[in-house]
């Protein structure tokens, strides 16, 4: 057991006369921002407006696509006729090249379909000899 350096009794801290002032437990903060129901209503309104805008944009886009589709339907015969002309030009050039290349082969018929299915199939009409040098 240790001994105190002096023989005086210990001094205990005591409250001031009349006691300490009371502790304020209530927070006096100003109201911060809108109430919960106001946030919910505002968010709901913005979401509904957004869905409305998406719907309007979809309607406009569908109308635009329909107009483009109608235009394509109207010019399809012209494009098909142009493709047919190009096909016939390539086919004619290929038949001439075939007749020239196969001139010495007996029994060769120029332009005869090599398939015996009875169905018409377009021939490969790339330029003959295009990749050959």
């Amino acid at each position: 057991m240790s001994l105190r350096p002096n023989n005086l009794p210990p001094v205990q801290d005591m409250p001031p006369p009349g006691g300490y002032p009371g502790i304020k437990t209530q927070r006096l903060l100003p109201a911060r921002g809108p109430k919960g129901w106001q946030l919910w209503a505002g968010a709901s309104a913005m979401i509904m407006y957004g869905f409305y805008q998406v719907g309007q944009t979809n309607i406009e886009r569908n109308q635009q696509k329909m107009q483009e589709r109608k235009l394509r339907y109207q010019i399809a015969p012209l494009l098909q006729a142009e493709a047919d002309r190009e096909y016939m030009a390539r086919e004619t050039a290929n038949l001439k090249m075939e007749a020239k290349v196969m001139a010495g082969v007996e029994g060769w018929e120029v332009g005869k379909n090599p398939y015996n299915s009875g169905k018409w199939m377009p021939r490969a009409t790339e330029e003959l000899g295009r990749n050959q040098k």
Side-chain angles (χ1 to χ4, degrees), residues 31-126:
R32 292 178 45 180
K35 297 179 172 109
W37 68 270
Q38 293 169 333
L39 289 173
W40 189 86
S44 297
M46 289 191 314
I47 289 171
M48 287 191 303
Y49 178 72
F51 275 115
Y52 171 76
Q53 288 291 36
V54 167
Q56 295 302 311
T57 303
N58 287 343
I59 290 171
E60 287 180 23
R61 188 178 301 139
N62 288 340
Q63 289 174 350
Q64 179 83 18
K65 285 182 181 179
M66 181 60 75
Q67 288 175 356
E68 290 176 6
R69 196 175 302 129
K70 285 181 181 179
L71 289 174
R72 287 181 183 163
Y73 290 161
Q74 290 172 355
I75 65 171
L78 177 67
L79 295 176
Q80 185 63 48
E82 184 177 341
D84 290 345
R85 280 192 298 274
E86 290 175 4
Y87 172 81
M88 286 308 298
R90 285 192 311 266
E91 180 72 12
T92 306
N94 284 346
L95 290 176
K96 287 179 184 177
M97 177 68 86
E98 182 181 350
K100 178 180 168 186
V101 170
M102 302 302 283
V105 178
E106 294 180 18
W108 183 266
E109 296 177 24
V110 176
K112 182 181 177 192
N113 190 352
Y115 304 108
N116 296 320
S117 64
K119 295 181 181 178
W120 181 82
M121 295 176 63
R123 294 169 22 123
T125 58
E126 294 296 323

